[in-house]
Amino acid sequence: MTREEKKVILASSAGTIFEWYDFYLYGSLAAIIGAQFFTPFPEATRNVFALLAFAAGFIVRPFGALVFGSLGDLIGRKYTFLMTIVIMGVSTFIVGLLPNYYSWGIAAPIILIALRMLQGLALGGEYGGAAVYVAEHAPQNQRGYFTAFIQTTATLGLLLSLVVILMVQGYVNGNYPDQPVLDAAGVAVVGADGSPVMQKAFNAWGWRIPFLGSIILLIVSLYIRMQMNESPAFKKMKEEGNASKAPMREAFGNWTNGKIALIALLGLTAGQAVVWYSGQFYALFFVQNVIKVDSFSANVFVAWSLILGTYGFIFFGKLSDRIGRKPIILGGCLLAAITYFPVFGFLTKTANPMLYHAHQTEIVVTADPADCSFQFNPVGTAKFTNSCDIAKAALTARSANSETDAAPAGTLASVKVGETVIAGYSGAAADAADQKARFDKELNDALTAAGYPINAADNTTVAKAQHFFDIFSGQKITIVLILTYLIILVTMVYGPIAAMLVELYPTRIRYSGLSLPYHIGNGWFGGLLPATAFAISAQSGDIYAGLWYAIVIALMTVVIGALFVPGGTHKKDIFADSK
C-alpha cells in the first residue's frame, strides 16, 4: 500500500471502530442502564424497555441508510460520514451525561430512546460511506483486501467496548464502595430484613465512564477524517456531470436497480447477517444465558475469540480478490448451516458439563395444544399467561430440554421431570402469584434432583475465568477455540461483503444502493435473531432449536445467491460505470 492508501484505510476504519464501540456500549450495559432510566418498573419490565431502546437503534438503521446514502451520492462520501460520526459521538457522550429517572422523571427514558435512534440513524449512514470510500480508493485488484479492514471494525468495536467495560468495571468496583439502590423518588430500597439493598459502584455511576470517554475517540477520529480527500470515483463523476439528482429514486424506483437491492438482500446480506449475529452476539448470549457461564467469564472467552479470529476478515477479503466474493460468502453460510448444531452442542458439553449431562434426564410437558403459543415477542410487550406457555418459558429460562405431549382440551399443563410431576398454573388465576411461587420451587427442586445446576454456586464443572488471561486450561482453551471457529465463519461471510456490494452498483447511486439492503439485512434479519431464537426454543423445548432461524435464512441465501447473484464481480472496473 502507498502512504495515501494506508491513510484512507486508517481514517475510515478508525472512525468506524469508534462508531461501533459507541453503538455496542449500550447493548453490553443494557440491564444496568435499564435500572437507571426505567426505575419505576419491576426488574423484568425494566429489562424489556432497556432492550427495546437497544432495538430502536437497529430498527432505524435502514432509514439512516436512505437519508445518508442519498446525501453521500449528492454531496460526497467524505462530508456525509463526517456528519455520521459527529451524530454518533455526540449522542453517546450525552448518554453518559443524561440524568436518570430519579432526577428527570419520564423525560430521561424518552431522551435516552431518542439518542439511541440518532445512533442507529448515524450507523445506517456510516457503514456505506466507509465501504464506498475505501473501495473507490482501492486498486482494481485489491478491493476485497482494502475493504476487509472496514469489515474488521464492527468486531473490533465490540472487542473495544468489552475491554473498556471490563477495565472500568474492575477499577471502579475495586476502589469505590457499594451504593444503595434508589427508587423513582430517590429513596433507598430496603430489603426484607430491613437493610438497604446495595449495588456495585459501577452499576450506580461507573457505567457512565465508557460513554463519556467516547468523546476522546470522537475528537481523534474527527481530526483524522478532516484530513481526507473526496474519493476519486466521486470526483470523476462530478467533473463529468454524471451525478444523480435523485439517487434514492434512481436506486429503488425502477425494477432494473430495485431487483439488485432485492437480490443483494436475500442472496447476500440476510444470510451474512444471521451468521454474523450468531457467531458474535448470539454466541455471547448463549454462553451467558443458556449454558449459564457468568458474565465476566463469558466476556473474556468471547473477547479472546475475537482477538484470535479477527484476522480472518483480512484473509478472506484478500482471498476474494483472487477467487471472487460469491463463493466465499455463500460457502460461509453453508458451513454455518451444516455445523451450528454440533458446534453449539459441543460448546455446552465443554463449558458446562453438569448441564449437558442433566439434559439426559427426560422432561415432558403435558398440555392442551391450544394452550401453547409461539412466544415471539420482538418488542417485549406481549404477555403469555397460558399454563403451557408458562411451563415452557420456565424450562427454557432454566436451559432444560423437554418434549411436549398433547392433553385433552382444557387440561392445565404439567411438567414431568424424570418421575416427578409438577402441576402447572394459569397466569390469569386469582392466586397466580402464590401458584407461581409454588411452581417455581417444585420445578427447581425436581430439576436439581435430576442434576440441573439450578444453584450456580453448587456447579463446580462450569467454566470460570478469574481474570482476562485466565484461559490456559484444557476446558477454557477449548471454549475459546469453539468460539473462534464461529468467528471464522463470521469473517468468511463478512470479509468480502463490502467489496461485493460496492461492485453491484454504479458510482452515481452506489452509496444509496448498497446501504439499504445491507442495513435491512443486518438491522432487521439480524436484529430479530434473539427474539426468534427464544420463541423457537420455547416452542420446541430444545435449547438448540433457536439455531433453526439462522440455519434456514443462511440456506435461503445460499440458494438465492447461487442462482441470482452475479459472479466474477471482483474483476469489474468500478471507475468505468459512472454514467
Side-chain angles (χ1 to χ4, degrees), residues 467-494:
H467 52 78
F468 188 75
F469 295 97
D470 182 20
I471 61 165
F472 298 103
S473 71
Q475 181 189 36
K476 295 168 195 173
I477 288 177
T478 304
I479 293 168
V480 170
L481 291 177
I482 294 169
L483 294 172
T484 301
Y485 168 75
L486 296 175
I487 296 299
I488 290 171
L489 294 180
V490 170
T491 65
M492 285 186 69
V493 301
Y494 200 57

PDB file of all heavy atoms in Angstrom, residues 467-494:
ATOM      1  N   HIS A 467      -9.539 -13.884  35.680  1.00  0.00           N
ATOM      2  CA  HIS A 467      -9.077 -12.614  35.130  1.00  0.00           C
ATOM      3  C   HIS A 467      -8.934 -12.776  33.621  1.00  0.00           C
ATOM      4  O   HIS A 467      -9.175 -13.877  33.079  1.00  0.00           O
ATOM      5  CB  HIS A 467      -7.752 -12.176  35.773  1.00  0.00           C
ATOM      6  CG  HIS A 467      -6.686 -13.230  35.750  1.00  0.00           C
ATOM      7  ND1 HIS A 467      -5.937 -13.531  34.625  1.00  0.00           N
ATOM      8  CD2 HIS A 467      -6.260 -14.085  36.719  1.00  0.00           C
ATOM      9  CE1 HIS A 467      -5.085 -14.505  34.898  1.00  0.00           C
ATOM     10  NE2 HIS A 467      -5.261 -14.874  36.154  1.00  0.00           N
ATOM     11  N   PHE A 468      -8.558 -11.732  32.930  1.00  0.00           N
ATOM     12  CA  PHE A 468      -8.584 -11.733  31.467  1.00  0.00           C
ATOM     13  C   PHE A 468      -7.658 -12.785  30.862  1.00  0.00           C
ATOM     14  O   PHE A 468      -7.940 -13.320  29.798  1.00  0.00           O
ATOM     15  CB  PHE A 468      -8.208 -10.343  30.939  1.00  0.00           C
ATOM     16  CG  PHE A 468      -8.403 -10.200  29.453  1.00  0.00           C
ATOM     17  CD1 PHE A 468      -9.671 -10.058  28.916  1.00  0.00           C
ATOM     18  CD2 PHE A 468      -7.317 -10.210  28.588  1.00  0.00           C
ATOM     19  CE1 PHE A 468      -9.860  -9.937  27.538  1.00  0.00           C
ATOM     20  CE2 PHE A 468      -7.491 -10.092  27.212  1.00  0.00           C
ATOM     21  CZ  PHE A 468      -8.768  -9.948  26.694  1.00  0.00           C
ATOM     22  N   PHE A 469      -6.550 -13.078  31.521  1.00  0.00           N
ATOM     23  CA  PHE A 469      -5.585 -14.036  30.967  1.00  0.00           C
ATOM     24  C   PHE A 469      -5.760 -15.445  31.522  1.00  0.00           C
ATOM     25  O   PHE A 469      -4.934 -16.323  31.266  1.00  0.00           O
ATOM     26  CB  PHE A 469      -4.153 -13.540  31.220  1.00  0.00           C
ATOM     27  CG  PHE A 469      -3.827 -12.269  30.488  1.00  0.00           C
ATOM     28  CD1 PHE A 469      -3.928 -11.037  31.120  1.00  0.00           C
ATOM     29  CD2 PHE A 469      -3.463 -12.296  29.148  1.00  0.00           C
ATOM     30  CE1 PHE A 469      -3.647  -9.871  30.444  1.00  0.00           C
ATOM     31  CE2 PHE A 469      -3.184 -11.131  28.460  1.00  0.00           C
ATOM     32  CZ  PHE A 469      -3.279  -9.906  29.101  1.00  0.00           C
ATOM     33  N   ASP A 470      -6.848 -15.663  32.262  1.00  0.00           N
ATOM     34  CA  ASP A 470      -7.098 -16.978  32.849  1.00  0.00           C
ATOM     35  C   ASP A 470      -7.843 -17.867  31.850  1.00  0.00           C
ATOM     36  O   ASP A 470      -9.022 -18.182  32.018  1.00  0.00           O
ATOM     37  CB  ASP A 470      -7.894 -16.829  34.143  1.00  0.00           C
ATOM     38  CG  ASP A 470      -8.143 -18.165  34.826  1.00  0.00           C
ATOM     39  OD1 ASP A 470      -7.396 -19.128  34.530  1.00  0.00           O
ATOM     40  OD2 ASP A 470      -9.092 -18.258  35.627  1.00  0.00           O
ATOM     41  N   ILE A 471      -7.156 -18.269  30.795  1.00  0.00           N
ATOM     42  CA  ILE A 471      -7.768 -19.136  29.781  1.00  0.00           C
ATOM     43  C   ILE A 471      -6.924 -20.383  29.523  1.00  0.00           C
ATOM     44  O   ILE A 471      -7.280 -21.201  28.673  1.00  0.00           O
ATOM     45  CB  ILE A 471      -7.981 -18.386  28.451  1.00  0.00           C
ATOM     46  CG1 ILE A 471      -6.642 -17.911  27.886  1.00  0.00           C
ATOM     47  CG2 ILE A 471      -8.961 -17.242  28.613  1.00  0.00           C
ATOM     48  CD1 ILE A 471      -6.702 -17.477  26.440  1.00  0.00           C
ATOM     49  N   PHE A 472      -5.831 -20.539  30.261  1.00  0.00           N
ATOM     50  CA  PHE A 472      -4.878 -21.598  29.933  1.00  0.00           C
ATOM     51  C   PHE A 472      -5.150 -22.888  30.711  1.00  0.00           C
ATOM     52  O   PHE A 472      -4.371 -23.314  31.562  1.00  0.00           O
ATOM     53  CB  PHE A 472      -3.453 -21.095  30.142  1.00  0.00           C
ATOM     54  CG  PHE A 472      -3.110 -19.946  29.245  1.00  0.00           C
ATOM     55  CD1 PHE A 472      -3.086 -18.649  29.741  1.00  0.00           C
ATOM     56  CD2 PHE A 472      -2.854 -20.148  27.894  1.00  0.00           C
ATOM     57  CE1 PHE A 472      -2.792 -17.575  28.909  1.00  0.00           C
ATOM     58  CE2 PHE A 472      -2.564 -19.086  27.059  1.00  0.00           C
ATOM     59  CZ  PHE A 472      -2.536 -17.794  27.565  1.00  0.00           C
ATOM     60  N   SER A 473      -6.315 -23.459  30.417  1.00  0.00           N
ATOM     61  CA  SER A 473      -6.645 -24.809  30.868  1.00  0.00           C
ATOM     62  C   SER A 473      -7.338 -25.488  29.701  1.00  0.00           C
ATOM     63  O   SER A 473      -7.815 -24.813  28.779  1.00  0.00           O
ATOM     64  CB  SER A 473      -7.566 -24.779  32.095  1.00  0.00           C
ATOM     65  OG  SER A 473      -8.862 -24.342  31.731  1.00  0.00           O
ATOM     66  N   GLY A 474      -7.392 -26.810  29.728  1.00  0.00           N
ATOM     67  CA  GLY A 474      -7.982 -27.523  28.603  1.00  0.00           C
ATOM     68  C   GLY A 474      -9.404 -27.083  28.311  1.00  0.00           C
ATOM     69  O   GLY A 474      -9.782 -26.873  27.157  1.00  0.00           O
ATOM     70  N   GLN A 475     -10.212 -26.940  29.357  1.00  0.00           N
ATOM     71  CA  GLN A 475     -11.605 -26.567  29.186  1.00  0.00           C
ATOM     72  C   GLN A 475     -11.736 -25.170  28.581  1.00  0.00           C
ATOM     73  O   GLN A 475     -12.478 -24.956  27.611  1.00  0.00           O
ATOM     74  CB  GLN A 475     -12.322 -26.611  30.548  1.00  0.00           C
ATOM     75  CG  GLN A 475     -13.806 -26.246  30.462  1.00  0.00           C
ATOM     76  CD  GLN A 475     -14.441 -26.085  31.836  1.00  0.00           C
ATOM     77  OE1 GLN A 475     -13.798 -25.595  32.773  1.00  0.00           O
ATOM     78  NE2 GLN A 475     -15.692 -26.505  31.973  1.00  0.00           N
ATOM     79  N   LYS A 476     -10.994 -24.215  29.133  1.00  0.00           N
ATOM     80  CA  LYS A 476     -11.143 -22.827  28.692  1.00  0.00           C
ATOM     81  C   LYS A 476     -10.581 -22.612  27.296  1.00  0.00           C
ATOM     82  O   LYS A 476     -11.178 -21.889  26.482  1.00  0.00           O
ATOM     83  CB  LYS A 476     -10.476 -21.891  29.702  1.00  0.00           C
ATOM     84  CG  LYS A 476     -11.143 -21.913  31.064  1.00  0.00           C
ATOM     85  CD  LYS A 476     -10.286 -21.210  32.111  1.00  0.00           C
ATOM     86  CE  LYS A 476     -10.770 -21.543  33.511  1.00  0.00           C
ATOM     87  NZ  LYS A 476      -9.865 -21.018  34.535  1.00  0.00           N
ATOM     88  N   ILE A 477      -9.445 -23.226  27.002  1.00  0.00           N
ATOM     89  CA  ILE A 477      -8.883 -23.092  25.650  1.00  0.00           C
ATOM     90  C   ILE A 477      -9.831 -23.694  24.619  1.00  0.00           C
ATOM     91  O   ILE A 477     -10.031 -23.136  23.530  1.00  0.00           O
ATOM     92  CB  ILE A 477      -7.493 -23.755  25.579  1.00  0.00           C
ATOM     93  CG1 ILE A 477      -6.471 -22.901  26.346  1.00  0.00           C
ATOM     94  CG2 ILE A 477      -7.045 -23.925  24.129  1.00  0.00           C
ATOM     95  CD1 ILE A 477      -5.091 -23.502  26.404  1.00  0.00           C
ATOM     96  N   THR A 478     -10.454 -24.820  24.955  1.00  0.00           N
ATOM     97  CA  THR A 478     -11.408 -25.445  24.035  1.00  0.00           C
ATOM     98  C   THR A 478     -12.590 -24.520  23.775  1.00  0.00           C
ATOM     99  O   THR A 478     -13.045 -24.381  22.629  1.00  0.00           O
ATOM    100  CB  THR A 478     -11.904 -26.789  24.590  1.00  0.00           C
ATOM    101  OG1 THR A 478     -10.777 -27.641  24.857  1.00  0.00           O
ATOM    102  CG2 THR A 478     -12.833 -27.482  23.601  1.00  0.00           C
ATOM    103  N   ILE A 479     -13.097 -23.878  24.823  1.00  0.00           N
ATOM    104  CA  ILE A 479     -14.208 -22.927  24.656  1.00  0.00           C
ATOM    105  C   ILE A 479     -13.801 -21.804  23.717  1.00  0.00           C
ATOM    106  O   ILE A 479     -14.537 -21.436  22.789  1.00  0.00           O
ATOM    107  CB  ILE A 479     -14.633 -22.354  26.021  1.00  0.00           C
ATOM    108  CG1 ILE A 479     -15.246 -23.434  26.892  1.00  0.00           C
ATOM    109  CG2 ILE A 479     -15.636 -21.199  25.839  1.00  0.00           C
ATOM    110  CD1 ILE A 479     -15.431 -23.024  28.341  1.00  0.00           C
ATOM    111  N   VAL A 480     -12.617 -21.241  23.946  1.00  0.00           N
ATOM    112  CA  VAL A 480     -12.136 -20.137  23.108  1.00  0.00           C
ATOM    113  C   VAL A 480     -11.996 -20.595  21.656  1.00  0.00           C
ATOM    114  O   VAL A 480     -12.365 -19.862  20.724  1.00  0.00           O
ATOM    115  CB  VAL A 480     -10.800 -19.588  23.647  1.00  0.00           C
ATOM    116  CG1 VAL A 480     -10.173 -18.608  22.653  1.00  0.00           C
ATOM    117  CG2 VAL A 480     -11.008 -18.903  24.996  1.00  0.00           C
ATOM    118  N   LEU A 481     -11.507 -21.811  21.432  1.00  0.00           N
ATOM    119  CA  LEU A 481     -11.337 -22.316  20.066  1.00  0.00           C
ATOM    120  C   LEU A 481     -12.693 -22.553  19.387  1.00  0.00           C
ATOM    121  O   LEU A 481     -12.840 -22.291  18.183  1.00  0.00           O
ATOM    122  CB  LEU A 481     -10.518 -23.605  20.077  1.00  0.00           C
ATOM    123  CG  LEU A 481      -9.037 -23.451  20.459  1.00  0.00           C
ATOM    124  CD1 LEU A 481      -8.344 -24.811  20.501  1.00  0.00           C
ATOM    125  CD2 LEU A 481      -8.318 -22.518  19.483  1.00  0.00           C
ATOM    126  N   ILE A 482     -13.679 -23.041  20.140  1.00  0.00           N
ATOM    127  CA  ILE A 482     -15.021 -23.222  19.572  1.00  0.00           C
ATOM    128  C   ILE A 482     -15.580 -21.866  19.142  1.00  0.00           C
ATOM    129  O   ILE A 482     -16.111 -21.709  18.029  1.00  0.00           O
ATOM    130  CB  ILE A 482     -15.969 -23.882  20.591  1.00  0.00           C
ATOM    131  CG1 ILE A 482     -15.524 -25.306  20.897  1.00  0.00           C
ATOM    132  CG2 ILE A 482     -17.406 -23.880  20.071  1.00  0.00           C
ATOM    133  CD1 ILE A 482     -16.242 -25.932  22.085  1.00  0.00           C
ATOM    134  N   LEU A 483     -15.460 -20.883  20.019  1.00  0.00           N
ATOM    135  CA  LEU A 483     -15.961 -19.545  19.699  1.00  0.00           C
ATOM    136  C   LEU A 483     -15.174 -18.927  18.549  1.00  0.00           C
ATOM    137  O   LEU A 483     -15.736 -18.184  17.731  1.00  0.00           O
ATOM    138  CB  LEU A 483     -15.883 -18.656  20.942  1.00  0.00           C
ATOM    139  CG  LEU A 483     -16.795 -19.061  22.104  1.00  0.00           C
ATOM    140  CD1 LEU A 483     -16.492 -18.238  23.353  1.00  0.00           C
ATOM    141  CD2 LEU A 483     -18.267 -18.899  21.714  1.00  0.00           C
ATOM    142  N   THR A 484     -13.873 -19.233  18.468  1.00  0.00           N
ATOM    143  CA  THR A 484     -13.065 -18.724  17.365  1.00  0.00           C
ATOM    144  C   THR A 484     -13.525 -19.305  16.037  1.00  0.00           C
ATOM    145  O   THR A 484     -13.543 -18.603  15.011  1.00  0.00           O
ATOM    146  CB  THR A 484     -11.572 -19.048  17.600  1.00  0.00           C
ATOM    147  OG1 THR A 484     -11.152 -18.464  18.834  1.00  0.00           O
ATOM    148  CG2 THR A 484     -10.710 -18.495  16.473  1.00  0.00           C
ATOM    149  N   TYR A 485     -13.910 -20.585  16.033  1.00  0.00           N
ATOM    150  CA  TYR A 485     -14.458 -21.180  14.804  1.00  0.00           C
ATOM    151  C   TYR A 485     -15.693 -20.403  14.343  1.00  0.00           C
ATOM    152  O   TYR A 485     -15.863 -20.118  13.148  1.00  0.00           O
ATOM    153  CB  TYR A 485     -14.817 -22.644  15.040  1.00  0.00           C
ATOM    154  CG  TYR A 485     -15.653 -23.235  13.923  1.00  0.00           C
ATOM    155  CD1 TYR A 485     -15.068 -23.569  12.709  1.00  0.00           C
ATOM    156  CD2 TYR A 485     -17.026 -23.424  14.086  1.00  0.00           C
ATOM    157  CE1 TYR A 485     -15.835 -24.085  11.665  1.00  0.00           C
ATOM    158  CE2 TYR A 485     -17.803 -23.938  13.051  1.00  0.00           C
ATOM    159  CZ  TYR A 485     -17.201 -24.264  11.850  1.00  0.00           C
ATOM    160  OH  TYR A 485     -17.971 -24.767  10.822  1.00  0.00           O
ATOM    161  N   LEU A 486     -16.578 -20.052  15.291  1.00  0.00           N
ATOM    162  CA  LEU A 486     -17.768 -19.279  14.927  1.00  0.00           C
ATOM    163  C   LEU A 486     -17.385 -17.916  14.370  1.00  0.00           C
ATOM    164  O   LEU A 486     -18.027 -17.414  13.440  1.00  0.00           O
ATOM    165  CB  LEU A 486     -18.678 -19.130  16.154  1.00  0.00           C
ATOM    166  CG  LEU A 486     -19.275 -20.424  16.715  1.00  0.00           C
ATOM    167  CD1 LEU A 486     -20.048 -20.152  17.995  1.00  0.00           C
ATOM    168  CD2 LEU A 486     -20.184 -21.093  15.675  1.00  0.00           C
ATOM    169  N   ILE A 487     -16.322 -17.311  14.923  1.00  0.00           N
ATOM    170  CA  ILE A 487     -15.847 -16.022  14.418  1.00  0.00           C
ATOM    171  C   ILE A 487     -15.276 -16.179  13.007  1.00  0.00           C
ATOM    172  O   ILE A 487     -15.455 -15.300  12.147  1.00  0.00           O
ATOM    173  CB  ILE A 487     -14.792 -15.411  15.359  1.00  0.00           C
ATOM    174  CG1 ILE A 487     -15.405 -15.101  16.727  1.00  0.00           C
ATOM    175  CG2 ILE A 487     -14.176 -14.152  14.763  1.00  0.00           C
ATOM    176  CD1 ILE A 487     -16.535 -14.094  16.684  1.00  0.00           C
ATOM    177  N   ILE A 488     -14.595 -17.286  12.740  1.00  0.00           N
ATOM    178  CA  ILE A 488     -14.051 -17.519  11.391  1.00  0.00           C
ATOM    179  C   ILE A 488     -15.185 -17.592  10.363  1.00  0.00           C
ATOM    180  O   ILE A 488     -15.068 -17.055   9.251  1.00  0.00           O
ATOM    181  CB  ILE A 488     -13.191 -18.794  11.373  1.00  0.00           C
ATOM    182  CG1 ILE A 488     -11.886 -18.547  12.157  1.00  0.00           C
ATOM    183  CG2 ILE A 488     -12.870 -19.216   9.940  1.00  0.00           C
ATOM    184  CD1 ILE A 488     -11.055 -19.786  12.385  1.00  0.00           C
ATOM    185  N   LEU A 489     -16.297 -18.234  10.727  1.00  0.00           N
ATOM    186  CA  LEU A 489     -17.457 -18.235   9.834  1.00  0.00           C
ATOM    187  C   LEU A 489     -17.948 -16.813   9.597  1.00  0.00           C
ATOM    188  O   LEU A 489     -18.332 -16.447   8.476  1.00  0.00           O
ATOM    189  CB  LEU A 489     -18.584 -19.086  10.418  1.00  0.00           C
ATOM    190  CG  LEU A 489     -18.330 -20.595  10.535  1.00  0.00           C
ATOM    191  CD1 LEU A 489     -19.553 -21.291  11.135  1.00  0.00           C
ATOM    192  CD2 LEU A 489     -17.988 -21.205   9.184  1.00  0.00           C
ATOM    193  N   VAL A 490     -17.946 -16.005  10.659  1.00  0.00           N
ATOM    194  CA  VAL A 490     -18.323 -14.591  10.528  1.00  0.00           C
ATOM    195  C   VAL A 490     -17.409 -13.894   9.523  1.00  0.00           C
ATOM    196  O   VAL A 490     -17.860 -13.140   8.658  1.00  0.00           O
ATOM    197  CB  VAL A 490     -18.251 -13.876  11.900  1.00  0.00           C
ATOM    198  CG1 VAL A 490     -18.394 -12.366  11.737  1.00  0.00           C
ATOM    199  CG2 VAL A 490     -19.331 -14.403  12.835  1.00  0.00           C
ATOM    200  N   THR A 491     -16.103 -14.137   9.622  1.00  0.00           N
ATOM    201  CA  THR A 491     -15.158 -13.465   8.733  1.00  0.00           C
ATOM    202  C   THR A 491     -15.330 -13.923   7.282  1.00  0.00           C
ATOM    203  O   THR A 491     -15.090 -13.146   6.355  1.00  0.00           O
ATOM    204  CB  THR A 491     -13.708 -13.696   9.185  1.00  0.00           C
ATOM    205  OG1 THR A 491     -13.365 -15.081   9.086  1.00  0.00           O
ATOM    206  CG2 THR A 491     -13.496 -13.240  10.615  1.00  0.00           C
ATOM    207  N   MET A 492     -15.752 -15.163   7.069  1.00  0.00           N
ATOM    208  CA  MET A 492     -15.986 -15.640   5.704  1.00  0.00           C
ATOM    209  C   MET A 492     -17.127 -14.879   5.035  1.00  0.00           C
ATOM    210  O   MET A 492     -17.015 -14.465   3.876  1.00  0.00           O
ATOM    211  CB  MET A 492     -16.312 -17.139   5.704  1.00  0.00           C
ATOM    212  CG  MET A 492     -15.141 -18.054   5.940  1.00  0.00           C
ATOM    213  SD  MET A 492     -15.604 -19.805   5.759  1.00  0.00           S
ATOM    214  CE  MET A 492     -15.908 -19.909   3.985  1.00  0.00           C
ATOM    215  N   VAL A 493     -18.227 -14.701   5.761  1.00  0.00           N
ATOM    216  CA  VAL A 493     -19.391 -14.055   5.149  1.00  0.00           C
ATOM    217  C   VAL A 493     -19.268 -12.539   5.140  1.00  0.00           C
ATOM    218  O   VAL A 493     -19.850 -11.859   4.288  1.00  0.00           O
ATOM    219  CB  VAL A 493     -20.702 -14.478   5.849  1.00  0.00           C
ATOM    220  CG1 VAL A 493     -20.904 -15.977   5.776  1.00  0.00           C
ATOM    221  CG2 VAL A 493     -20.752 -14.006   7.306  1.00  0.00           C
ATOM    222  N   TYR A 494     -18.520 -12.011   6.094  1.00  0.00           N
ATOM    223  CA  TYR A 494     -18.486 -10.551   6.263  1.00  0.00           C
ATOM    224  C   TYR A 494     -17.269  -9.904   5.610  1.00  0.00           C
ATOM    225  O   TYR A 494     -17.333  -8.759   5.162  1.00  0.00           O
ATOM    226  CB  TYR A 494     -18.513 -10.221   7.757  1.00  0.00           C
ATOM    227  CG  TYR A 494     -18.963  -8.817   8.077  1.00  0.00           C
ATOM    228  CD1 TYR A 494     -20.199  -8.344   7.656  1.00  0.00           C
ATOM    229  CD2 TYR A 494     -18.158  -7.961   8.827  1.00  0.00           C
ATOM    230  CE1 TYR A 494     -20.615  -7.056   7.965  1.00  0.00           C
ATOM    231  CE2 TYR A 494     -18.567  -6.672   9.144  1.00  0.00           C
ATOM    232  CZ  TYR A 494     -19.796  -6.230   8.710  1.00  0.00           C
ATOM    233  OH  TYR A 494     -20.209  -4.956   9.002  1.00  0.00           O
TER     234      TYR A 494
END
